[in-house]
Amino acid sequence: MSSMIWHQVREGESVYDIARQHIVPIKALMEANEGIGQLFVGQWLQIPQSVQGYVVQEGDTLEELSRQWNISKATLVNQNTLRTEELLVGQILLRQVTYTVQAGDTLFSLADKFQTTVASFEALNNVNVGELQVGQVLQIPGYTAAMTIGQAQIYDRPSTKGRVLLRPVTGARFTVTGSGDGWLKVRLFDGREGWLTEGQSRLEVSTRDDKPLALLGYFTEDEGPGLPGSEASFLAHANDLQDVSLFYYQIRFENPTTLGKFGEFTDEALRTLVAQAHARNVRVLAVVHNLLYMEGPATISKDVVKELVSSSANRQALIANILNLIRQFNFDGIDLDVEEVYEEDREGLSQFIIELGNALHQEGYFFSVAVPSKTSAEDPSAFAKPFDYAVIGGAADQVIIMLYNEHGWPGSGPGPVVSIGRMEQALTYAASLIPANKILGAVSVFGFDFNLETGKARYLTYAGAIETANQFGATIQFDEESQTPFYTYTAENGQDHEVWFENERSIIAKARLAQTLGVNGLALWRLGMEDPAIWPGLEEQFTLRKP
């Protein structure tokens, strides 16, 4: 046999069985084996390689799949000869990944057909306009990014006489949305589109079957000894990030319609940070939260939310202050991280999120909301019950499902901060209520050192986990079930410890799961605590999306 993929028919097999086994549409299988007729045992069938089959999952829609696959809904319907737009779980859809050139085809017509760009076709297939030949097999481009070379500028039109929208740093990456006459149309951090000359850029083109992954990095100042701030990590890896969320603003307990600074930073330093992020084409979100108050009752975080959502006047006052904050520092939007909430305030919180989303969208700002994870509507977690996923998913542009702390909360006992099993359950449930393209799974890049005698847990970075292991001569192991590294040791005082943390292997596993589940990507808590090896690992194994 040749290098093609072939299948030999076994007793009892039908065309349907073979199509399911190889995950290809029946139509594609029939076309690859013209005159297939009645099957017989021992018959050889060619399995088409120019298409990729996709098994429809719960919650899939034609709109969402056409967006993910970068084709029009009409093309998806025609390719699969669908008679209805209603999809069935388990149904196999044809997803074309290569194309055989037909008479009359041009790169311009193919770019239009597959909703990509001429430049992407040229770069991926090493061809030029006018070089196509009938019968030639082309790979269909997927996501395309342009990396700037030298002192590039982004213009408001395809002309160096146009207005300069941005002067990016060398190596900044942009999503490409169009091309023509030596220019690339690219999307900026704030949603605007501009033009970059092809001569000042290098294209990165993925194939149609490669789903890009979005990354958000949380950013804080120093949190104490052994817990460095995020700035160095952010500036080193900004080109891999779609968003950075600055953990900088707390809803004031004294007056929940106002905001206070959280952390030690100056307005001047903040403006510099925002400019640095924009020059690297990173969307900058200000985190607004109700956490970590220095004094007050144990219920202070919940009390803040209760007062905030108790009246329309209070909600609108905080919304006005949030909008003023965005304008003052040139943020691109908000990442709302309201966590501790009384269950009876569920409707009030939902109403606040709807009103905040409307206000942000009216002014063109991005709205992200972080919510606790749950695995079902019956999840017993009181922490997660006040959050109406369906309402939040409708109001926000992005929903961050906080998968931590599975272990690490007071009294939890030792274990992984985010296990791969619970991550899958939580994101699958979230995607049943929230569009998958809006979801980021928030994972830890930190760890905990659990003291088995006192029951307390010490928050530590990857570097801290490795330093402690070296100090006590511990052997680092990898738990296959949770996909998490861990080790044990006995301290100098004789107390036993168990340390669970994250490394490149565990983060790559979580990224792979996010990609498999069809969600948009990962959020990392937080920059500056991670294994440095995660960055080359992610760059090598995934196509990383920009805004």
Side-chain angles (χ1 to χ4, degrees):
M1 291 292 162
S2 71
S3 60
M4 297 179 181
I5 297 177
W6 293 84
H7 176 93
Q8 189 172 28
V9 178
R10 295 185 292 271
E11 187 174 355
E13 282 189 323
S14 65
V15 173
Y16 174 80
D17 295 329
I18 297 168
R20 294 282 298 177
Q21 180 179 336
H22 293 280
I23 316 181
V24 296
I26 291 176
K27 177 186 176 184
L29 185 61
M30 298 288 285
E31 290 178 349
N33 297 274
E34 193 172 345
I36 190 171
Q38 184 73 30
L39 296 185
F40 57 87
V41 175
Q43 180 179 6
W44 286 97
L45 299 181
Q46 183 181 338
I47 306 302
Q49 299 177 70
S50 63
V51 297
Q52 182 183 65
Y54 173 80
V55 181
V56 173
Q57 309 294 312
E58 185 73 39
D60 280 341
T61 65
L62 286 177
E63 287 80 4
E64 172 59 18
L65 292 177
S66 62
R67 188 202 69 81
Q68 287 185 22
W69 298 348
N70 214 30
I71 59 175
S72 69
K73 188 168 74 171
T75 299
L76 185 56
V77 169
N78 292 335
Q79 283 180 353
N80 291 276
T81 59
L82 299 177
R83 298 177 181 176
T84 173
E85 292 191 4
E86 185 176 346
L87 300 179
L88 300 176
V89 173
Q91 179 180 0
I92 297 178
L93 297 179
L94 177 154
R95 184 185 180 193
Q96 194 168 1
V97 295
T98 65
Y99 178 80
T100 302
V101 176
Q102 309 294 314
D105 283 338
T106 66
L107 286 184
F108 296 99
S109 66
L110 294 180
D112 182 63
K113 177 183 179 69
F114 293 106
Q115 293 195 331
T116 183
T117 70
V118 170
S120 300
F121 259 114
E122 289 178 322
L124 185 61
N125 294 279
N126 195 28
V127 297
N128 294 314
V129 172
E131 291 183 353
L132 295 189
Q133 297 178 0
V134 173
Q136 183 178 2
V137 177
L138 301 176
Q139 291 191 79
I140 302 171
Y143 177 77
T144 302
M147 177 181 287
T148 59
I149 299 172
Q151 300 300 311
Q153 297 185 119
I154 310 296
Y155 297 91
D156 67 343
R157 53 195 169 98
S159 169
T160 54
K161 295 181 180 180
R163 181 169 60 90
V164 175
L165 300 180
L166 182 70
R167 292 182 172 86
V169 298
T170 298
R173 297 173 62 245
F174 296 82
T175 295
V176 175
T177 62
S179 66
D181 296 327
W183 289 84
L184 300 173
K185 182 188 285 190
V186 296
R187 188 161 57 238
L188 276 62
F189 52 83
D190 56 4
R192 290 179 299 167
E193 289 190 317
W195 293 87
L196 169 69
T197 63
E198 289 187 12
Q200 291 186 307
S201 64
R202 178 173 63 83
L203 283 183
E204 302 170 349
V205 187
S206 63
T207 57
R208 178 56 59 93
D209 58 349
D210 184 9
K211 184 183 185 302
L213 190 79
L215 294 178
L216 176 148
Y218 277 103
F219 186 112
T220 75
E221 298 298 309
D222 293 352
E223 293 186 87
L227 300 171
S230 301
E231 183 176 11
S233 175
F234 170 68
L235 292 177
H237 305 295
N239 281 341
D240 292 335
L241 297 173
Q242 173 178 274
D243 306 283
V244 63
S245 283
L246 309 181
F247 200 75
Y248 273 6
Y249 294 96
Q250 184 184 61
I251 303 172
R252 284 200 175 102
F253 172 64
E254 304 82 14
N255 180 359
T257 68
T258 60
L259 297 170
K261 283 186 177 181
F262 186 84
E264 298 292 329
F265 61 92
T266 65
D267 290 356
E268 181 181 0
L270 176 56
R271 289 190 173 92
T272 297
L273 177 60
V274 171
Q276 289 173 324
H278 286 165
R280 292 158 175 80
N281 198 34
V282 178
R283 185 164 49 209
V284 184
L285 307 177
V287 176
V288 172
H289 67 86
N290 68 328
L291 305 169
L292 303 171
Y293 294 94
M294 298 301 294
E295 56 185 28
T299 58
I300 184 169
S301 293
K302 294 181 179 180
D303 296 337
V304 165
V305 177
K306 177 170 285 294
E307 178 65 19
L308 166 64
V309 303
S310 65
S311 70
S312 174
N314 283 358
R315 296 192 300 269
Q316 291 302 315
L318 181 59
I319 289 169
N321 284 322
I322 288 173
L323 291 172
N324 287 335
L325 175 72
I326 293 173
R327 299 184 194 107
Q328 182 180 359
F329 293 104
N330 198 27
F331 295 132
D332 303 307
I334 288 294
D335 183 357
L336 182 68
D337 185 13
V338 170
E339 297 185 24
E340 301 273 342
V341 181
Y342 289 115
E343 191 172 348
E344 62 262 28
D345 290 324
R346 175 182 166 103
E347 290 189 10
L349 175 63
S350 292
Q351 185 59 36
F352 171 66
I353 289 173
I354 291 170
E355 292 173 4
L356 177 57
N358 289 339
L360 291 169
H361 292 148
Q362 284 175 8
E363 299 205 18
Y365 297 128
F366 191 83
F367 186 29
S368 181
V369 181
V371 299
S373 64
K374 46 188 170 182
T375 57
S376 71
E378 292 73 38
D379 192 310
S381 170
F383 190 50
K385 284 183 178 179
F387 297 85
D388 188 327
Y389 276 13
V391 170
I392 295 169
D397 300 300
Q398 178 169 274
V399 182
I400 300 171
I401 308 297
M402 295 183 289
L403 300 165
Y404 38 73
N405 291 333
E406 189 175 340
H407 295 87
W409 47 273
S412 72
V417 183
V418 179
S419 71
I420 203 79
R422 192 177 188 284
M423 175 181 176
E424 181 173 8
Q425 292 177 334
L427 293 183
T428 299
Y429 175 67
S432 71
L433 297 170
I434 302 167
N437 66 303
K438 289 188 176 186
I439 295 174
L440 296 181
V443 300
S444 53
V445 293
F446 59 87
F448 283 111
D449 180 344
F450 296 91
N451 186 316
L452 304 186
E453 306 297 324
T454 66
K456 294 182 179 179
R458 177 171 65 99
Y459 181 53
L460 77 175
T461 64
Y462 168 81
I466 298 301
E467 181 182 352
T468 301
N470 291 337
Q471 179 184 351
F472 292 99
T475 299
I476 297 174
Q477 305 173 66
F478 195 84
D479 179 57
E480 294 292 344
E481 182 178 358
S482 67
Q483 290 287 292
T484 313
F486 75 101
Y487 61 87
T488 61
Y489 73 93
T490 301
E492 294 166 346
N493 61 6
Q495 294 180 340
D496 291 330
H497 290 245
E498 198 169 302
V499 177
W500 292 78
F501 63 107
E502 304 285 350
N503 63 6
E504 179 199 6
R505 181 177 173 184
S506 66
I507 293 300
I508 293 297
K510 292 174 175 63
R512 186 67 65 199
L513 177 60
Q515 187 181 58
T516 300
L517 295 175
V519 300
N520 203 33
L522 295 180
L524 308 176
W525 181 274
R526 67 164 172 80
L527 299 177
M529 301 189 77
E530 73 276 9
D531 176 359
I534 72 170
W535 300 107
L538 289 166
E539 290 168 1
E540 290 169 9
Q541 298 193 44
F542 300 91
T543 298
L544 301 177
R545 177 187 289 277
K546 276 294 187 173

